[in-house]
Amino acid sequence: MALQVGVTIDRSSPVPLYHQLAEQLRSAIDDGRLQPGDQFENEIALAERLDLSRPTVRRAIQELVGQGLLLRRRGLGTTVANRKVHRRAGLTSLFEDLDRAAGRPSTELLGHEVVRDETIAAELDLPADTDLLHIVRLRLTAGQPLAILRNWLPPRASGLTPEELEAKGLYALLRARGIRAVVAHQEIGARTPTAFERRHLALKSSEPVLTMTRSAFDASGVAVEYGDHCYRARDYTVDVTIDER
């Protein structure tokens, strides 16, 4: 039987009705009210229940299908797709995003050392001989590998311990030390994984990884962190909303 999700439509809002519906349905998937494999309420029933036109409901459902959150199968109707991490572009940590989405995040620390790296220091507007804490973590969700996270941190964050890094997300640990990232330059791409990445992410040789690099700074323009991350492409997407300027 198809599950019904509580939805509130604000007809006085400038936000399009289809988008209001899509966002609330997406939230139900993210927070676990709708689980992978659940039968989704059909278009006609949903339109009647919410007093919306069928084209409006169809557009909302199609938006979720396009994001890989719903599956439409002939003769079987619409179901919730297998869980995939959908991350909005923003200054958050992967641990926090997974935690909010009931993704049961966990971390395995693969590396923790102080290094000097002229290229990374330049990305953070620091002197070339600055001592940086270099950490490498394997991030898992529900026990399954999702990402390898490489980060370089300035001296003021060098006190982060292996125990802390396996227990909490990086940005939460930094905030606890009074260090808060407010602006960052981020690049997203894709490539073939290294042998190290294939082994830890349980990838086939032909599978690509999604990549993300980020240089983050606080409100004073002081370096917070540089990250170079890779993700299992079949389990991870980045959502970006673009506004007309």
Side-chain angles (χ1 to χ4, degrees):
M1 181 177 178
L3 296 176
Q4 291 187 350
V5 176
V7 174
T8 301
I9 300 295
D10 182 358
R11 299 176 191 278
S12 65
S13 170
V15 178
L17 299 181
Y18 84 89
H19 190 67
Q20 291 186 46
L21 176 58
E23 285 297 290
Q24 292 180 65
L25 295 176
R26 176 197 166 95
S27 293
I29 295 172
D30 285 346
D31 65 23
R33 283 176 287 158
L34 289 173
Q35 290 290 318
D38 281 349
Q39 190 71 30
F40 193 75
E41 192 172 3
N42 70 58
E43 180 184 302
I44 297 174
L46 190 56
E48 290 179 350
R49 180 165 69 88
L50 300 177
D51 192 23
L52 294 172
S53 69
R54 287 185 61 184
T56 295
V57 173
R58 186 179 304 122
R59 186 171 179 183
I61 291 175
Q62 189 56 48
E63 185 169 300
L64 299 180
V65 170
Q67 293 172 2
L69 295 174
L70 295 178
L71 289 176
R72 272 181 160 166
R73 294 173 178 165
R74 188 180 299 276
L76 297 176
T78 303
T79 57
V80 179
N82 289 333
R83 189 173 298 281
K84 189 174 186 178
V85 177
H86 290 258
R87 190 174 183 192
R88 293 173 184 264
L91 269 176
T92 59
S93 74
L94 178 58
F95 189 97
E96 292 168 333
D97 290 340
L98 291 171
D99 196 36
R100 278 193 294 269
R104 290 188 288 145
S106 59
T107 305
E108 178 183 338
L109 190 66
L110 304 178
H112 183 280
E113 63 177 338
V114 175
V115 301
R116 291 184 179 180
D117 187 307
E118 293 184 13
T119 302
I120 302 299
E123 292 284 351
L124 294 172
D125 292 335
L126 295 171
D129 60 352
T130 300
D131 287 337
L132 304 170
L133 176 61
H134 180 213
I135 58 175
V136 183
R137 295 164 295 155
L138 175 65
R139 180 60 40 76
L140 304 99
T141 176
Q144 298 300 311
L146 174 65
I148 293 175
L149 314 174
R150 300 175 178 88
N151 297 84
W152 289 259
L153 302 160
R156 59 178 173 156
S158 62
L160 293 173
T161 67
E163 294 75 18
E164 288 177 308
L165 290 163
E166 289 196 331
K168 295 184 178 180
L170 177 58
Y171 276 26
L173 294 171
L174 292 174
R175 287 195 297 269
R177 286 165 167 76
I179 304 170
R180 182 180 294 272
V182 299
V183 66
H185 174 69
Q186 185 165 290
E187 294 184 2
I188 297 169
R191 60 171 170 77
T192 301
T194 65
F196 174 86
E197 292 163 348
R198 282 198 301 271
R199 183 169 70 254
H200 285 285
L201 293 176
L203 296 171
K204 298 177 182 178
S205 58
S206 60
E207 288 188 84
V209 288
L210 184 69
T211 63
M212 186 272 285
T213 61
R214 175 191 286 177
S215 303
F217 302 85
D218 66 16
S220 300
V222 178
V224 170
E225 62 107 1
Y226 178 79
D228 184 356
H229 305 166
C230 68
Y231 309 82
R232 287 166 57 104
R234 58 185 152 117
D235 295 326
Y236 188 87
T237 62
V238 177
D239 296 333
V240 180
T241 299
I242 301 174
D243 297 319
E244 182 181 17
R245 291 180 178 270

